Amino acid sequence: MIISELFGVRGYSVIVTGGASGIGLGYVEALASGGARVTMFDLREDRITEETTRLRSSGLEVSGKVVDVTDHAALERAVDEVAAEHGRLDVVFANAGIDPGPGFLGAWVGGERPRFADGALEKYTDERWNRTIDVNLNGVFATLRAAARHMRPRHSGRIIVTTSLASERCEPAIGTAYMVAKAGVAHLVRNVALELATYNITVNAISPGMFVTNIGGGHLKDPAVQSEFARMIPMHRLGLPPDMYGLALFLASPASAYVTGQQIAIDGGFGLGSAD
Ligand code: NAD
């Protein structure tokens, strides 16, 4: 292996679920800029059109499909279509996720963190619980299964799952089902990695801290919320989708060939605690 080619993904066939916004769009940009053929799966046709048009105008090989990861049959068909179109499937990012807040505490503002009556356990509806588990846990399971069906026969593949710091520690501003789904997904990654290792398929997780995206109605775009979180994050800023480029390329490329079953935090040190 030539060292300068360690991070090469040219010609790879790549799928990113939830790829039309935020962190997923960061993965799309990183892989497509490296010469991969990337297909974003997303619920939002308007965002798919906008982002594929923008990226194609820069000469990148990006396309999109409207896919709901909770519709497992449609997801399977879409994965099959991409694999047939490109003759292979090299990398799948299982990234689509939602955060239908609120949690039982609000974000810090002015040194205060109010309790939210509407985020209390007694008010947590079955619909909210089921929808969150359906997208953030069951949707990842279905994505991994669809990927394995193509990768196992070829004895090759990379699966990368977006988990969260919430998989390991409680974040009271986010709802209960989100914690549970992300913790479940983190362990799913380890179990599937163990099963697929002998087939030369790696399965790893990226665990973001606070990233400015459209999740939860884009609440982290609020400058007041951002400055409160920035105070607590050791690097004193929130993450932006381009912060994902390096880690996405590492886990998708030959550079990480011997890494599997790992969850890598990317959080400006937030998971370590407060430094000042
Ligand atoms: P985002 O809302 O900007 O992007 C998520 C994308 O997923 C959207 O385009 C949305 O349309 C799509 N999506 C939602 N439900 C879907 C479904 N059922 N099928 C297909 N697509 C669907 O949010 P983001 O912050 O970029 O979130 C991406 C992932 O990162 C999620 O799994 C989220 O839990 C995780 N995450 C985000 C943060 C953060 O601070 N932003 C922190 C930790 C983990």
Side-chain angles (χ1 to χ4, degrees):
M1 167 59 67
I2 300 162
I3 298 286
S4 60
E5 291 174 3
L6 264 181
F7 291 85
V9 293
R10 187 160 299 284
Y12 281 14
S13 168
V14 178
I15 290 171
V16 182
T17 72
S21 170
I23 289 168
L25 185 58
Y27 300 152
V28 171
E29 289 171 347
L31 274 284
S33 299
R37 297 165 291 174
V38 186
T39 310
M40 50 176 87
F41 287 3
D42 207 287
L43 278 182
R44 293 278 301 264
E45 189 165 20
D46 56 336
R47 284 190 189 149
I48 291 176
T49 305
E50 187 182 330
E51 298 301 343
T52 53
T53 305
R54 179 179 67 84
L55 295 169
R56 278 189 205 149
S57 73
S58 309
L60 304 183
E61 225 179 303
V62 174
S63 58
K65 288 181 187 292
V66 177
V67 179
D68 182 342
V69 297
T70 68
D71 181 343
H72 297 186
L75 175 66
E76 292 268 344
R77 277 197 303 278
V79 171
D80 291 350
E81 282 166 18
V82 171
E85 207 174 301
H86 295 152
R88 57 200 263 195
L89 181 60
D90 300 288
V91 183
V92 171
F93 287 88
N95 165 77
I98 55 169
D99 166 25
F104 68 91
L105 288 188
W108 293 94
V109 176
E112 298 280 313
R113 211 170 184 194
R115 284 229 168 210
F116 270 135
D118 284 350
L121 182 60
E122 302 90 306
K123 293 262 181 82
Y124 212 100
T125 63
D126 285 352
E127 286 81 6
R128 181 175 171 192
W129 176 273
N130 291 335
R131 179 71 190 157
T132 308
I133 298 293
D134 222 13
V135 177
N136 293 7
L137 179 58
N138 300 343
V140 173
F141 153 71
T143 307
L144 267 52
R145 181 177 61 186
R149 285 183 177 150
H150 288 276
M151 293 174 176
R152 195 192 296 252
R154 293 182 60 230
H155 284 232
S156 172
R158 298 299 170 87
I159 298 173
I160 300 144
V161 178
T162 310
T163 54
S164 169
L165 280 193
S167 69
E168 291 178 311
R169 71 177 215 189
C170 298
E171 173 43 64
I174 304 173
T176 302
Y178 187 92
M179 309 295 133
V180 174
K182 293 296 185 181
V185 158
H187 208 41
L188 175 68
V189 163
R190 289 186 279 270
N191 197 58
V192 175
L194 183 65
E195 177 180 346
L196 297 182
T198 192
Y199 299 95
N200 191 33
I201 300 165
T202 66
V203 188
N204 291 291
I206 291 177
S207 172
M210 293 288 172
F211 272 70
V212 181
T213 69
N214 288 308
I215 202 162
H219 64 109
L220 290 176
K221 290 182 173 172
D222 179 341
V225 174
Q226 275 184 23
S227 64
E228 290 298 330
F229 275 117
R231 231 170 18 88
M232 291 183 292
I233 296 169
M235 286 188 171
H236 297 304
R237 70 171 179 88
L238 279 75
L240 294 168
D243 287 310
M244 285 294 174
Y245 293 171
L247 188 49
L249 276 174
F250 171 66
L251 291 175
S253 68
S256 63
Y258 201 49
V259 178
T260 197
Q262 301 307 304
Q263 172 164 265
I264 303 176
I266 175 160
D267 63 355
F270 196 33
L272 301 173
S274 290
D276 43 17

